[in-house]
Amino acid sequence: MYNDVLKLRKRGLSYTKIREEIYRKYGVWIDATTISNWLRGESSPYNGRRIPSLELLKPSEDLGYVIGVRLGDGYTCEKSHGCIIGLQAKDKEFVEEFGRRLGNVLGREPIIPWKDARIYIAEATSKTLYELLRKPVDLKRIKKYVEHCEKCMAAFLRGLFDSEGCVSERGYVYLYNTNYEVLAYAKKLLRRFGIESTGPWPQNKANEDSYYLYIRAKDLPKFYRHIGFTVRRKQKRLEEYLKRTGKL
Ligand SMILES: [Zn+2]
């Protein structure tokens, strides 16, 4: 019944129609709250562990993006009601994109962000994703998902740059992270798109816990074409720079 409900909803049926279809097939009236909880992923017959193990988690662009965000602004935590993967940020379109892609990875509807003060939040529970993404994130463990294909790599980098990238006045794209290994990994992946970067360097000598790298202006058209930003204000700055210098 659960799988039928998901399928019927995907075909665009209303709750009323779904209830009728289920009744026709199984002779049971399920209530609208149950349907709603199933569709939002709040509950399921799989006990919130819809992807039962890491072996069954499939590489995809959506997963690549989620992993990239997780290494940036995203977080994981363990609470009484489950293992949480989430993002809090002030750019609405960023949190929406994360929620949409996280929903796809978990085989459920997009997770619609909610607002707390000026911050947007999107969270979901998944034991399997938690196992993959909990801290400290093991780069060896995420590699096969991130490097699955060019599209997965690009989505991973986009998630990372949406989180911690920025465009300077002079048209350099910077990427910050507290983890040196993450930046070294990003540098390696960028190179596979022909994008050269400089760094990682410590952000300031007093604080060795933060690092950055930057992409030089000459490779920005490639960055724009292959990676780019979901965050509108960052993408706009990049486009403005490229237009100003006749590269777009
Ligand atoms: Zn792929």
Side-chain angles (χ1 to χ4, degrees), residues 1-5 7-8 18-30 38:
M1 273 195 276
Y2 172 78
N3 288 325
D4 279 1
V5 166
K7 251 181 261 163
L8 293 168
I18 293 173
R19 292 185 71 222
E20 283 169 10
E21 282 294 312
I22 294 293
Y23 180 74
R24 220 191 322 271
K25 194 164 166 188
Y26 299 96
V28 179
W29 288 107
I30 33 176
W38 283 355

Side-chain angles (χ1 to χ4, degrees), residues 59-61 145 148-152:
S60 66
E61 277 181 80
Y145 304 103
H148 173 252
C149 65
E150 248 182 38
K151 282 181 173 173
C152 290

